[in-house]
Amino acid sequence: MGITNVFDLLTTYPRRYVDRTKRVDLSDLTVGEEVAIFAEVATVSTRRTRQGRSLVEIIVRDDGGSLKVVFFNQPWRARQLVVGTQALFFATVAEYRGQRQMTNPVVDVLIGANGQERDPARVGRVVPIYPASGKAGLTSWDLGGFIEESLERAGEFFDPLSESVRSSLALIDRTAAFRSVHLPEQWGDQDSARRRLVFDEFLRLQVLLVLRRRRLEETSAGVSHPARASDLDVQRGAASELTHSLVESYLRENHFTLTGAQRRVITEIFGDLANVLPMHRLLQGDVGSGKTTVALCAMLAVNEGGRQAALMAPTEVLAEQHLSALRRDVAHLTVSDERVLGATRPLRVELLSGRLRAKAREEVLAALHSGAVDIVVGTHALLTNDVRFSALGLVVIDEQHRFGVEQRAMLRDKGREHSNEGADPDLLVMTATPIPRTAAMVIFGDLDLSVLDEMPVGRQPITTKWLANDPTEAWSLIRDVVAGGHQAFVVCPLVDESERIQATSAVAEAERLRLTHLAGLRVGLLHGQMRGEEKDAVMDQFRSGDIDVLVATVVIEVGVDVPNATVMVIEDAWRFGLAQLHQLRGRVGRGGGESFCFLLGDAPTSDAERRLSAIEASTDGFALAEVDLELRGEGTILGARQRGRSDLRLASLRRDAELLDAARIVASQMVHESELTEEFVDELRLFIDEEEAGFLFKS
Ligand code: ADP
Ligand code: MG
C-alpha cells in the first residue's frame, strides 16, 4: 500500500467513520449509495447457483429493518457469519429483482455470536473504516490493528507547536490528534483531530516555502534597479522635461492611462526592483487586464539602470506578437550607452527564436552579449547555453502557470550563469489563468503575489451563449459583424492530442465553412503544423483585416491580441477545460465593440455541462477558477507542484482555507524567529529530497 514507515502508517487515515450507536434504517438505504452498516445476522443459507458457484445469502437486521447480503464464491462466510454475529458491512447498495441488497461487501466482525466482543478495547462507539486493499490482502480491521499498535508504541508525540500557539488557534495537541483521528472515543472527536492534522500538513508545506524564500534571499547576489513609483505620476501627453526616465517617457507617449490596479501592482514591483534582494513575484491578472504593460514598465526600469530584460512567452506566435507590440510601444525611447557616439541610442528590442537563421541569430547573440540589446523576447529556449547577457537584470515569464519551484530555481541559476555581471536577475511570473488564492499559496507560496483585479476601461462586454446543436445563430452573427467591418475566430474541436490530427480537422472545417455557412467571406486558417513564416503571414493578414474569419486550432489560446475581432465560436466546447475556454473567450471583447462567444456542441457529461454553464454565466476569471477547483478537484491543480510524497492527505483547499492562512502566519514566525527544532526539521526532511534539504537546512 506504499506504507514504508510508522509515519506513513499513522497518516493512513480512515476514509470514514461509522457511529455504532446510530442505527441506519436498513429499509431506507438508497440504491447506488456506498454505505457501511452495522447489523446483526438474522438468517444464513448456502446454495449453489446454476453455474455451480457457491452462494451464501444472509439476512441482516437492525432496529430499522433488514437487508439481504450475498457472497459469491466465499463459502466460508457461512461459518464466519453465524446467526447472532454483529458486524460492519461495507458496500454499494444494489437492487436485485426489486429488492435492495449488498453483494460481496467488506466485512468486519465486531461481536461474535456468543456475545463475545472481538477485541473489546478496539470496538468503540465510533468505528474507523480504512481504505482496505484487496491486493495487499489487508482489511480495514487489519490496518486498524497495526495503527493502534503503532500508536501505543509511539506514546507521546513531539509537537512543533507551543502550548500558547495551540490555544490561540484552538488546536488540540498532536498526541491527542493522532489518537482521536484513529480511535475517536465519541462522535466529533475525529473532527478536532482532523483540524489539527490538517494544520500540520499546511504548516510543513508553508515552513518549507518560507524557508526556501529565506534561503534564496540569503544566497542571492541581486542588484538595485532605479525604479521610482513617482515616475508613474507623469501625465499622458505632458510636455517633455529635460531629464526623464524611460518609464516616464513611455507613459507620457502612451495611448492610454494606467488603471488603478496597474499603478498599484507596478508600485509593488518597483519596490522589489529598487531593493537589492531579487524579486520573486507572481502577477495574476485576468485575460486582458493589461499584464504586458506592467511587465514593460518593469523592464524599462531595469533598462534605465543599464541592464537587460528577458521576456519569455509560451509559444513562438506569442513571442512574435510581444515583439511587435513592444517595438511599437518603445519606438520613441532612447537609452544612454557610453559606447556609442553621443552616448545615447534607441532602445533595442530583439527576438530570439528557433526560427532565426543562423546568421541573424549570431548577430542577436553578439548584441545581447555586448549589451546592445535591452529587451529580448523568446520562448523557454531563451536561456539555452549559447545565450550570454551582458547584465541580465530581469526575467519575465508570461502566461506560464505550469512553472514549478524546481524550474524557477533553475531559471535563477541560469540567469546568474548567463550574465557577465553574475548577479541574480529579478523574476516576475505572470499568469492569465487565475487560480484561487489558496491554491496560489500552496503552489506559489515562495513568491510574493500581486493581483490585477481591474479591467481597463473600454473593455467590451462579452455575451456568451451555449448553442448546443444549432449553430445557425453563430454563423449568421459572424456574417453580420463582418459586414460591419469586424472579424471572428472559429476554434476547431480538440479531436486528439496529436497536433497533426488537429491540423487535419482544422483544414477540413475551414474548407467546409468556406463552402457553406461562411461562403463569400475571407476565411483564413491557422494550426500548429504550419511553418513559422506561414503562421506569421496568416496572423499578419488577420491583424491587418485581410482575413475576416480565422479558423484555428487552440494555437490561439493564449495572448493573441486582435481588438477588431468580436466573435469567438468554439466548436465541441465540452472538450476544453474551464480555464482554456476562458482564455479562448478572452480573445474577443478587447476594444473592438460589443462581443460574442458561442459554444457549440452537447455536453456528454454532467461535469462538461457545469463547465459550459459556468462559462455562460460568468466572465470573471477568478470566479471561474473557484468552479474549476471544485470540478477538477485539488489533485490536478496541485499536480503542478511536482512533489514526491503526498503532503496534503487530509487538507482541502476549499474547506480549510482558514487553517492555511493560520499556518502561513505561524510558519513565517517560526522561520524568522529561528524556532525550528531539530525534531521538526527531521519531520520536514520526510517531504523533500536530499538536494532540497541540503539547500534549506545546510546551516
Ligand atoms: P493581458 O493581461 O491579457 O496580457 P494585455 O497586456 O495583452 O493583457 O492587454 C490587453 C490590451 O489592453 C492591450 O491591447 C493593451 O494595449 C490594452 N491595455 C492595457 N492596459 C490598458 C489600460 N490601462 N487602458 C486601456 N487599455 C489598456
Ligand atoms: Mg498577455
Side-chain angles (χ1 to χ4, degrees):
M1 291 180 79
I3 296 172
T4 58
N5 58 36
V6 174
F7 185 83
D8 289 338
L9 187 58
L10 292 179
T11 51
T12 301
Y13 298 115
R15 252 209 227 136
R16 72 189 74 206
Y17 301 86
V18 174
D19 188 347
R20 278 212 297 138
T21 61
K22 206 180 115 219
R23 292 301 165 106
V24 197
D25 188 343
L26 291 186
S27 53
D28 197 31
L29 295 172
T30 318
V31 172
E33 193 184 7
E34 197 180 53
V35 291
I37 56 163
F38 180 66
E40 186 175 323
V41 178
T43 67
V44 185
S45 67
T46 305
R47 59 186 175 87
R48 290 206 166 266
T49 64
R50 251 178 264 137
Q51 292 81 25
R53 295 203 285 167
S54 95
L55 175 64
V56 176
E57 278 186 344
I58 66 173
I59 304 284
V60 301
R61 63 158 186 252
D62 71 356
D63 308 339
S66 61
L67 180 76
K68 188 198 273 186
V69 178
V70 300
F71 296 94
F72 289 99
N73 286 336
Q74 302 177 24
W76 50 275
R77 291 289 190 189
R79 294 186 298 279
Q80 181 198 31
L81 298 168
V82 295
V83 172
T85 310
Q86 297 176 45
L88 283 165
F89 299 88
F90 183 72
T92 304
V93 181
E95 195 164 42
Y96 183 68
R97 293 199 175 142
Q99 282 208 316
R100 271 163 297 206
Q101 72 170 38
M102 271 186 177
T103 306
N104 294 342
V106 174
V107 179
D108 267 344
V109 174
L110 298 188
I111 303 174
N114 49 9
Q116 183 84 47
E117 297 204 349
R118 175 169 171 181
D119 182 349
R122 272 191 62 192
V123 187
R125 282 185 49 191
V126 185
V127 181
I129 309 288
Y130 291 96
S133 165
K135 209 162 134 211
L138 284 179
T139 65
S140 170
W141 179 267
D142 295 330
L143 270 170
F146 300 146
I147 288 169
E148 185 174 2
E149 184 171 349
S150 302
L151 278 173
E152 239 144 59
R153 293 197 192 195
E156 281 287 302
F157 282 73
F158 154 75
D159 196 327
L161 295 185
S162 67
E163 174 64 47
S164 68
V165 170
R166 281 203 306 268
S167 70
S168 71
L169 295 170
L171 292 169
I172 62 173
D173 70 68
R174 251 193 192 178
T175 309
F178 271 111
R179 184 150 188 98
S180 295
V181 82
H182 292 295
L183 302 165
E185 269 171 24
Q186 43 184 326
W187 195 258
D189 283 0
Q190 72 271 28
D191 296 333
S192 44
R194 179 184 178 279
R195 212 171 154 264
R196 170 60 208 261
L197 296 168
V198 166
F199 182 86
D200 284 1
E201 290 183 351
F202 284 144
L203 181 69
R204 283 191 288 264
L205 194 75
Q206 292 301 324
V207 165
L208 289 171
L209 287 165
V210 173
L211 200 58
R212 152 165 280 280
R213 177 59 189 267
R214 180 71 180 259
R215 290 286 181 261
L216 283 176
E217 288 176 355
E218 285 168 359
T219 59
S220 69
V223 291
S224 167
H225 302 281
R228 294 187 309 264
S230 59
D231 285 1
L232 303 181
D233 295 332
V234 65
Q235 288 297 312
R236 197 150 57 95
S240 166
E241 296 160 38
L242 275 180
T243 56
H244 45 256
S245 69
L246 288 169
V247 173
E248 280 176 307
S249 309
Y250 160 64
L251 291 176
R252 210 181 46 235
E253 301 275 322
N254 194 22
H255 62 282
F256 55 75
T257 309
L258 296 176
T259 64
Q262 282 171 323
R263 281 186 68 108
R264 192 193 68 238
V265 167
I266 296 171
T267 305
E268 288 164 1
I269 290 173
F270 277 13
D272 290 353
L273 290 177
N275 195 318
V276 177
L277 291 177
M279 167 166 72
H280 295 273
R281 189 170 283 277
L282 172 70
L283 172 57
Q284 286 208 68
D286 212 337
V287 189
S289 58
K291 292 182 294 297
T292 317
T293 306
V294 171
L296 179 55
C297 288
M299 294 195 286
L300 291 177
V302 164
N303 293 155
E304 184 74 37
R307 295 195 176 77
Q308 299 159 297
L311 174 59
M312 293 168 61
T315 64
E316 304 244 327
V317 169
L318 272 183
E320 307 258 347
Q321 179 178 290
H322 275 312
L323 177 79
S324 49
L326 288 174
R327 281 194 171 155
R328 181 195 65 210
D329 288 344
V330 305
H332 59 288
L333 301 181
T334 55
V335 291
S336 39
D337 187 340
E338 299 303 329
R339 288 162 303 188
V340 299
L341 201 62
T344 68
R345 58 167 175 81
L347 188 126
R348 184 165 166 200
V349 186
E350 288 292 346
L351 175 75
L352 201 58
S353 98
R355 292 194 213 151
L356 283 188
R357 289 185 204 297
K359 190 134 176 285
R361 182 178 171 85
E362 247 161 58
E363 216 267 308
V364 173
L365 287 178
L368 271 176
H369 196 179
S370 73
V373 167
D374 305 287
I375 296 176
V376 63
V377 185
T379 61
H380 304 147
L382 204 56
L383 286 185
T384 49
N385 289 332
D386 58 345
V387 183
R388 283 209 73 83
F389 292 83
S390 161
L392 178 60
L394 171 67
V395 175
V396 180
I397 304 174
D398 190 18
E399 319 276 6
Q400 192 49 272
H401 58 290
R402 282 168 279 265
F403 242 68
V405 164
E406 289 80 5
Q407 284 100 323
R408 288 201 298 276
M410 194 194 74
L411 205 64
R412 168 182 118 126
D413 294 344
K414 286 240 169 192
R416 179 165 21 188
E417 279 165 30
H418 288 236
S419 173
N420 289 350
E421 190 183 33
D424 288 325
D426 288 66
L427 179 66
L428 180 65
V429 181
M430 306 199 292
T431 167
T433 307
I435 54 175
R437 189 185 58 89
T438 49
M441 272 175 75
V442 167
I443 305 172
F444 298 111
D446 58 336
L447 300 177
D448 293 314
L449 183 64
S450 288
V451 179
L452 276 180
D453 50 7
E454 180 187 347
M455 285 291 176
V457 286
R459 255 325 94 129
Q460 301 295 318
I462 306 175
T463 307
T464 305
K465 269 194 185 178
W466 177 16
L467 297 180
N469 282 323
D470 184 9
T472 326
E473 186 181 345
W475 309 133
S476 78
L477 194 90
I478 288 186
R479 293 185 152 280
D480 289 350
V481 303
V482 168
H486 287 292
Q487 293 162 285
F489 293 102
V490 176
V491 176
C492 290
L494 187 80
V495 270
D496 197 272
E497 285 300 308
S498 143
E499 289 249 13
R500 206 166 48 81
I501 296 176
Q502 279 185 44
T504 316
S505 91
V507 172
E509 182 63 0
E511 201 47 37
R512 185 182 79 89
L513 291 173
R514 269 185 205 121
L515 293 172
T516 57
H517 309 287
L518 304 181
L521 306 189
R522 294 167 300 172
V523 177
L525 175 67
L526 188 69
H527 61 70
Q529 294 281 290
M530 290 163 56
R531 280 183 302 127
E533 306 91 81
E534 288 179 288
K535 281 191 218 166
D536 292 347
V538 171
M539 277 315 293
D540 283 345
Q541 281 176 297
F542 192 57
R543 273 195 201 98
S544 59
D546 295 334
I547 288 176
D548 301 315
V549 182
L550 185 63
V551 176
T553 56
V554 279
V555 289
I556 59 159
E557 178 187 347
V558 277
V560 169
D561 190 22
V562 180
N564 192 45
T566 55
V567 179
M568 164 65 65
V569 177
I570 305 173
E571 299 193 10
D572 270 5
W574 68 273
R575 291 182 186 270
F576 297 98
L578 205 41
Q580 228 176 354
L581 289 171
H582 182 59
Q583 278 289 328
L584 287 170
R585 176 173 57 186
R587 299 310 109 216
V588 296
R590 299 176 84 85
E594 189 190 1
S595 295
F596 298 87
C597 174
F598 294 108
L599 310 169
L600 307 188
D602 274 331
T605 66
S606 63
D607 269 12
E609 178 160 356
R610 282 203 55 196
R611 283 203 301 276
L612 297 182
S613 307
I615 279 283
E616 209 178 7
S618 172
T619 50
D620 176 350
F622 285 91
L624 292 171
E626 295 286 347
V627 177
D628 199 31
L629 180 62
E630 204 180 308
L631 283 178
R632 285 201 300 152
E634 300 175 357
T636 6
I637 292 181
L638 298 182
R641 288 183 315 144
Q642 300 165 333
R643 277 177 189 266
R645 186 184 295 257
S646 151
D647 47 9
L648 294 180
R649 291 189 175 211
L650 282 179
S652 149
L653 297 182
R654 268 174 301 143
R655 278 173 62 188
D656 304 313
E658 155 252 350
L659 286 173
L660 176 56
D661 287 329
R664 175 72 177 194
I665 293 168
V666 173
S668 304
Q669 216 169 326
M670 281 181 148
V671 170
H672 293 119
E673 284 161 27
S674 310
E675 286 169 0
L676 297 180
T677 59
E678 235 171 89
E679 290 93 335
F680 194 35
V681 167
D682 281 343
E683 179 178 334
L684 294 170
R685 281 177 188 276
L686 287 172
F687 294 88
I688 49 179
D689 60 24
E690 294 270 320
E691 195 183 332
E692 174 90 346
F695 178 61
L696 295 182
F697 302 123
K698 64 173 161 244
S699 55

